[in-house]
Amino acid sequence: MTPDPVDRFSEDRPISRKTLLKAALVATAVPLFAGTGVALARDAGSSGRPLAPTPDCDDGDGPTHDQIEGPYFKPDSPLRTSLVSAGTPGVRLTVSGYVFGRACEPLPGVLLDFWQADTNGAYDMSGFAFRGHQFTDAAGAFTLSTVVPGLYPGRTRHIHVKAQAPGSAVLTTQLYFPDEPRNSTDTLFDPALLMNVRSVGPAKEGTFDFVLDVAQDPTDPTDPTDPPTEPGGGWAAGTLYSAGDRVTYGGGAYRCLQAHTALTGWEPPNVPALWERG
């Protein structure tokens, strides 16, 4: 199954500033690179200046949610850090990195939901192959074991991801591979979303640091790194919840959307990716 082509540059649609900037960066290969790879947030944060958030994978020319998320997203992915088994075909790929807030402080307990095509460029829509979610550890780190995704018409090589810190909005974005011929023709490609990728024997290793739009100000009552102040009700940290489980919290009733082990900071009102009211 292949996606329908999307006309994102029709004559009656103005070209966005981000599209022009993206074209200039692809053409000139400027300041995104430090040394032999893409600059990482962990390095940029040493300057002491606030970090720019990781962009949504949307160039502004088509403001529909489907073009950001793509047609192949499925909720309720399994909780796992590896999307492969011993017999899975494809070039092995490990993606690792950190999730930071704007002040370059690591964010623990961030929900990361990954999905991608297999080595042949196909998405599994009947099951959950090459789909999985995980949470960053106490240091804000994550690791994903998968394969290099294959190509399909109209797109360059990419991995989809949704990221959400406690109490924050969901970031829907994509990770890209350097030196791919289709990077210059894919209208969704954004060089700010390039991974560092290197070969390690027959496998590949990629690194990328996400920066979520979290202020990390301890005096800010909306900062999700602050401890919760509401009563817990029927919800409890450390509990393994399954999709469909129901809890109460702060006088409200909630239904679990994805199986997970509850963490402090992930109370139902804070994480709409995990809980819906009702």
Side-chain angles (χ1 to χ4, degrees), residues 117-211:
D118 64 16
T119 190
N120 297 314
Y123 285 82
D124 179 14
M125 298 305 294
S126 60
F128 288 93
F130 294 104
R131 300 174 185 272
H133 72 274
Q134 59 179 279
F135 297 89
T136 56
D137 65 16
F142 71 93
T143 300
L144 177 72
S145 299
T146 182
V147 300
V148 175
L151 295 167
Y152 60 86
R155 294 304 316 275
T156 191
R157 226 176 287 276
H158 62 282
I159 297 174
H160 294 270
V161 58
K162 288 179 179 286
Q164 186 183 30
S168 292
V170 177
L171 168 72
T172 302
T173 191
Q174 299 179 33
L175 301 180
Y176 295 99
F177 294 75
D179 304 319
E180 286 287 331
R182 291 193 187 181
N183 286 352
S184 60
T185 58
D186 188 328
T187 58
L188 283 178
F189 171 75
D190 188 335
L193 297 168
L194 280 167
M195 295 184 288
N196 282 307
V197 179
R198 65 172 185 152
S199 296
V200 182
K204 292 185 179 294
E205 291 182 351
T207 53
F208 188 86
D209 293 343
F210 295 93
V211 179

Side-chain angles (χ1 to χ4, degrees), residues 49-97:
R49 293 190 297 270
L51 299 176
T54 300
D56 282 334
C57 192
D58 178 18
D59 62 12
D61 292 324
T64 61
H65 185 71
D66 286 344
Q67 289 179 351
I68 301 173
E69 185 178 89
Y72 301 132
F73 173 72
K74 289 179 63 176
D76 305 323
S77 68
L79 175 64
R80 59 187 179 186
T81 59
S82 178
L83 309 183
V84 295
S85 62
T88 302
V91 176
R92 290 295 189 271
L93 170 68
T94 300
V95 180
S96 61

Side-chain angles (χ1 to χ4, degrees), residues 226-249:
D226 291 341
T229 57
E230 287 189 82
W235 180 92
T239 303
L240 175 61
Y241 291 107
S242 300
D245 286 352
R246 295 185 178 276
V247 301
T248 58
Y249 184 87

